[in-house]
Amino acid sequence: MVFYFCTLLILFIGAFASLVTGGDRARRLAPACGVIACALGVFFAVTLLTEGITLFARIDLPLPLGQRLFHIDPLSAVFLLPVFILGGVGCFLLPDCMEKLWHNDASRNLSESIQARRQGAFGFFFLLLIASIIVVLTVADGIFFLISWEVMSLTPFFLLLLYDINAKIRFSGWVYLIVAHLGALPLLLLFAMLSVESGGSSFFVYASMQQWQHSGWLFCLALLGFGVKLGLFPLHIWMPETYPAVPRSVSVVLSGAMINVGIYGLLRILSFLGTPEPWWGYMLMAVGGISGLLGVLFALTQADIKRSLAYSSAENMGIICLSLGAGLAASHSNSTVVLLFVGGALLHMWNHSLFKSLLFLGATTLEGRVGTVLLHQLGGLQKRMPVTGACMALGCVAIAGLPPLSGFMGELLMGLGFAFGSKAMHGTESALLLWAGLFALVAIAGLALFCFTRLYGLAFLGAPRSELAAIATEEPKLSIRLVMSFLALCCLALCLASPFVFRLFTPVLHSFMHRSKLPALTQGDFAFVETTLWYGAAACLALIGFMAMLLVLQRWVLRRNGYTHGPTWDCGYIAPAARMQYTGGSFAHSLAGMSRYFLRPQIVTPLESVSSLFPSQSPPAVAQFAVPDWILLAWGRFFNLTIGRVADAGKALQHGIVNVYILYILLALIVALTWALEQA
């Protein structure tokens, strides 16, 4: 535990030093402390995973924090490793984010001393965010868990408002804050019920319970509370508002590390509840399948790259929940099927952390160099930004689940789980549901391929669609290019090394299966999965070799025969223009039309303004295509109506008469005294 507490201590020292010093010193202290702490954390987490050990510590503090219990088992270590890696990446990029605080709109009318303090506060809250995530993953007491959860949920709000204060940022911040607090309510009720029924707030007391009276309600509360952090539909509304608004360091940690805490919480609660009921798996499959399908459909129809990536996070969390739900539903079948589902979900979680962080970092780089991330204003950027374009291409291949990148391996295990599970449970309703789950997984994967072909093709290929895209240049800072290249190489390495990575999950899977009373795993189960991954890695390596051979052959042919530059043939038209290219709306128009009952697109075609084959450009005839998040609007209307009705009903208590208010106080005292006498 020495490395663990040293990591937290360095993070807290860096955070408070940044807050006290501010300015240039904060830009040096906070990133340095963060990188050192995360490097120690990576060593610590890898050691725990390779040796499969469990650590325990208790610290007595004179504070009302419950029992200060820390329990780091392999399940915690699996989720800690992405936090340390991506936290280190975020700290490495932190000086650039803190420097930009001097140049944004919020800093124009502020004195240098106030700007320096804002920089120090930004470093403080960023390191506090990383530390709070680590604590949430390692505490072993319900009260302490909720306090750490609240700190983790609040810090992105302050980071968001410190970075900028325009109206859009303020709206995003308030949406995030409201949803975060509403998501904490089910967790408060969850841990209250766990503590009352078990007689204590320690996780060890929860785990010692043989049977729970209200296990179904506990599962539903866990799914609701942690589902908000996962962004499952319709609880996703904070993601597309928050992710596009935060700077690159924060987006890397939020999209790649903090979102995984929801999966951790769900798995941890499932390990307390014992043998799962079949309907738990069915419900988790339904929620995951709906989130996956709606998430990728919304991602496919967004004009903003960052909003598209935010909806894709909901899609990938839906895939993971779909796999975990299938594992619970197939818990009465053979253990190999359950291993494929749970192991595939954990592997996909690691994959998602890498490629989503890479894509958000690339999108933020685009925004900094081009000035926008709207697809209809991009195009032709691969030649102008070759490093960013190559890294974004690899990220898109990975998130689409294509070989030879990391997203392929997790989805391969899930697909095999659905295929073998439906065969093993032939003739039951669970087999039909597993076939439906396989169909949902394939549909999500196909739509994701369509979505990210659109994203990369419209942004980086073709001709520039705006002057901003035409004059764009590559990111000049070597640190940012190195980080993007590092994450892209990690996506490739995680695919090729997946058999070794899966071996790290062995103690986690054994422990989770035992605590959840799922079928016991055998050496043959792990041998089958590792063999499958070896075949997949070999196929991916062969694909890389084949592609390299084609590239060498192409260069040899071009060097031998030569080539000339000329206009592209465009259906017989020799003078193509950028306006003739597909836009984001036209690319997704057909699919959005087929899904109009789910997406509710808003399409405006100005037919009345087009009077000839070549309409005049003043005023220009512009067709508009947009898919607003109608779920967010529905939540807004619901809360506005509810609060309005409650407030109107409360007006009856406001008479403005002092005697009536004294009567209310007297009645409250009588009720309180009656309750106290009954308790005595």
Side-chain angles (χ1 to χ4, degrees):
M1 295 293 287
V2 175
F3 279 104
Y4 171 77
F5 287 115
C6 285
T7 299
L8 288 181
L9 181 62
I10 295 172
L11 287 173
F12 284 125
I13 290 175
F16 285 101
S18 175
L19 185 64
V20 171
T21 58
D24 293 336
R25 290 183 179 179
R27 287 205 301 269
R28 292 191 296 268
L29 285 173
C33 291
V35 170
I36 293 172
C38 290
L40 286 176
V42 169
F43 175 77
F44 173 68
V46 170
T47 303
L48 288 179
L49 286 174
T50 53
E51 297 183 4
I53 59 178
T54 299
L55 302 176
F56 171 79
R58 175 172 181 159
I59 300 178
D60 293 324
L61 297 173
L63 295 173
L65 299 177
Q67 301 181 70
R68 277 71 64 192
L69 302 176
F70 295 89
H71 180 238
I72 309 177
D73 59 358
L75 180 61
S76 298
V78 165
F79 289 88
L80 280 174
L81 189 57
V83 175
F84 288 129
I85 293 175
L86 299 178
V89 169
C91 291
F92 188 73
L93 300 173
L94 188 58
D96 179 65
C97 295
M98 297 174 72
E99 183 181 355
K100 288 185 177 179
L101 289 175
W102 291 89
H103 308 296
N104 59 21
D105 295 336
S107 301
R108 290 179 179 175
N109 300 321
L110 300 177
S111 64
E112 290 190 6
S113 61
I114 295 178
Q115 293 183 35
R117 276 184 281 173
R118 288 179 66 244
Q119 283 189 321
F122 189 87
F124 168 78
F125 283 112
F126 184 76
L127 295 186
L128 185 62
L129 172 63
I130 298 175
S132 61
I133 297 174
I134 295 170
V135 174
V136 167
L137 295 174
T138 54
V139 295
D141 178 77
I143 299 175
F144 200 9
F145 180 91
L146 290 173
I147 294 173
S148 306
W149 182 276
E150 189 67 15
V151 174
M152 179 190 69
S153 299
L154 282 175
T155 45
F157 172 74
F158 293 107
L159 289 168
L160 192 61
L161 295 190
L162 278 171
Y163 195 70
D164 211 337
I165 55 172
N166 61 53
K168 185 177 180 181
I169 299 295
R170 287 197 300 270
F171 175 76
S172 302
W174 286 113
V175 168
Y176 171 81
L177 187 64
I178 292 170
V179 175
H181 279 80
L182 290 176
L185 294 178
L187 296 181
L188 285 170
L189 185 56
L190 168 67
F191 283 99
M193 292 180 64
L194 288 171
S195 300
V196 169
E197 193 167 341
S198 64
S201 61
S202 169
F203 283 7
F204 302 105
V205 176
Y206 300 159
S208 64
M209 290 288 291
Q210 297 298 320
Q211 188 173 2
W212 298 87
Q213 295 180 359
H214 306 92
S215 57
W217 285 106
L218 295 173
F219 170 77
C220 291
L221 288 172
L223 180 59
L224 183 60
F226 294 117
V228 173
K229 195 63 66 182
L230 290 171
L232 301 177
F233 275 71
L235 308 173
H236 70 287
I237 54 176
W238 65 275
M239 280 184 173
E241 303 300 330
T242 305
Y243 283 178
V246 294
R248 57 166 57 96
S249 291
V250 184
S251 66
V252 165
V253 175
L254 289 186
S255 63
M258 193 182 80
I259 193 172
N260 296 335
V261 179
I263 305 171
Y264 166 80
L266 197 56
L267 291 175
R268 184 64 76 186
I269 296 300
L270 286 173
S271 68
F272 296 152
L273 299 182
T275 305
E277 298 289 338
W279 65 269
W280 298 2
Y282 304 154
M283 178 181 289
L284 198 53
M285 284 182 65
V287 172
I290 292 172
S291 297
L293 289 170
L294 289 181
V296 71
L297 285 173
F298 271 99
L300 179 59
T301 53
Q302 299 301 307
D304 187 301
I305 291 179
K306 287 188 174 183
R307 288 184 66 88
S308 181
L309 294 176
Y311 283 112
S312 173
S313 293
E315 169 225 333
N316 281 276
M317 293 302 105
I319 290 176
I320 293 173
C321 289
L322 176 66
S323 182
L324 290 176
L328 297 181
S331 59
H332 301 295
S333 65
N334 62 65
S335 55
T336 304
V337 173
V338 182
L339 177 61
L340 286 169
F341 282 129
V342 180
L346 292 177
L347 187 58
H348 192 75
M349 182 269 295
W350 273 18
N351 295 333
H352 175 261
S353 296
L354 288 175
F355 59 63
K356 186 54 61 68
S357 300
L358 170 62
L359 289 172
F360 265 111
L361 183 56
T364 308
T365 303
L366 278 182
E367 188 174 31
R369 302 306 300 166
V370 184
T372 181
V373 285
L374 298 176
L375 288 173
H376 61 269
Q377 296 183 14
L378 301 176
L381 294 177
Q382 180 62 57
K383 295 180 180 179
R384 295 164 177 81
M385 304 176 67
V387 176
T388 304
C391 292
M392 287 289 286
L394 291 175
C396 290
V397 172
I399 200 172
L402 296 177
L405 274 299
S406 56
F408 170 71
M409 287 302 191
E411 295 188 10
L412 172 65
L413 293 186
M414 297 178 195
L416 290 175
F418 282 114
F420 290 137
S422 56
K423 182 178 180 181
M425 305 180 72
H426 180 70
T428 64
E429 66 276 5
S430 296
L432 182 61
L433 289 172
L434 291 180
W435 279 115
L438 179 60
F439 173 79
L441 180 65
V442 172
I444 293 169
L447 291 172
L449 176 60
F450 190 75
C451 173
F452 288 96
T453 300
R454 165 184 175 268
L455 188 150
Y456 176 78
L458 297 181
F460 289 93
L461 303 181
R465 294 175 173 81
S466 66
E467 294 182 2
L468 294 172
I471 62 174
T473 57
E474 182 59 87
E475 171 61 52
K477 294 185 177 180
L478 179 62
S479 60
I480 297 176
R481 299 200 304 270
L482 286 176
V483 168
M484 287 192 294
S485 302
F486 167 74
L487 292 175
L489 289 175
C490 285
C491 289
L492 178 62
L494 189 56
C495 175
L496 299 180
S498 55
F500 300 104
V501 172
F502 193 83
R503 197 169 297 169
L504 297 177
F505 296 158
T506 302
V508 185
L509 294 168
H510 274 301
S511 174
F512 178 74
M513 296 292 200
H514 174 71
R515 293 180 179 178
S516 302
K517 296 182 173 58
L518 295 174
L521 299 176
T522 64
Q523 191 62 34
D525 298 331
F526 284 97
F528 171 78
V529 175
E530 288 186 14
T531 302
T532 302
L533 292 175
W534 275 117
Y535 280 122
C540 290
L541 192 61
L543 179 61
I544 293 174
F546 178 71
M547 294 169 63
M549 184 180 65
L550 287 181
L551 182 61
V552 171
L553 180 62
Q554 179 198 35
R555 291 191 174 184
W556 178 77
V557 171
L558 290 177
R559 188 166 52 249
R560 179 182 178 183
N561 300 330
Y563 59 89
T564 58
H565 292 280
T568 303
W569 182 83
D570 194 1
C571 299
Y573 187 66
I574 200 63
R579 293 189 63 196
M580 299 173 63
Q581 300 178 114
Y582 275 104
T583 63
S586 60
F587 199 102
H589 182 275
S590 300
L591 189 59
M594 291 187 291
S595 309
R596 58 186 178 275
Y597 296 109
F598 304 107
L599 300 179
R600 301 183 185 179
Q602 297 177 358
I603 304 172
V604 178
T605 305
L607 296 177
E608 65 278 1
S609 63
V610 181
S611 57
S612 64
L613 294 177
F614 300 95
S616 62
Q617 297 300 310
S618 55
V622 179
Q624 296 180 348
F625 174 89
V627 181
D629 195 335
W630 57 268
I631 301 177
L632 173 61
L633 300 177
W635 277 114
R637 285 193 298 267
F638 170 75
F639 283 112
N640 284 337
L641 290 174
T642 303
I643 294 172
R645 288 173 181 173
V646 172
D648 289 338
K651 290 178 181 179
L653 301 175
Q654 294 178 325
H655 298 286
I657 302 173
V658 177
N659 295 337
V660 175
Y661 297 154
I662 294 174
L663 177 61
Y664 294 158
I665 297 173
L666 178 61
L667 292 175
L669 285 174
I670 292 173
V671 172
L673 289 172
T674 304
W675 179 81
L677 289 173
E678 289 179 354
Q679 295 297 318

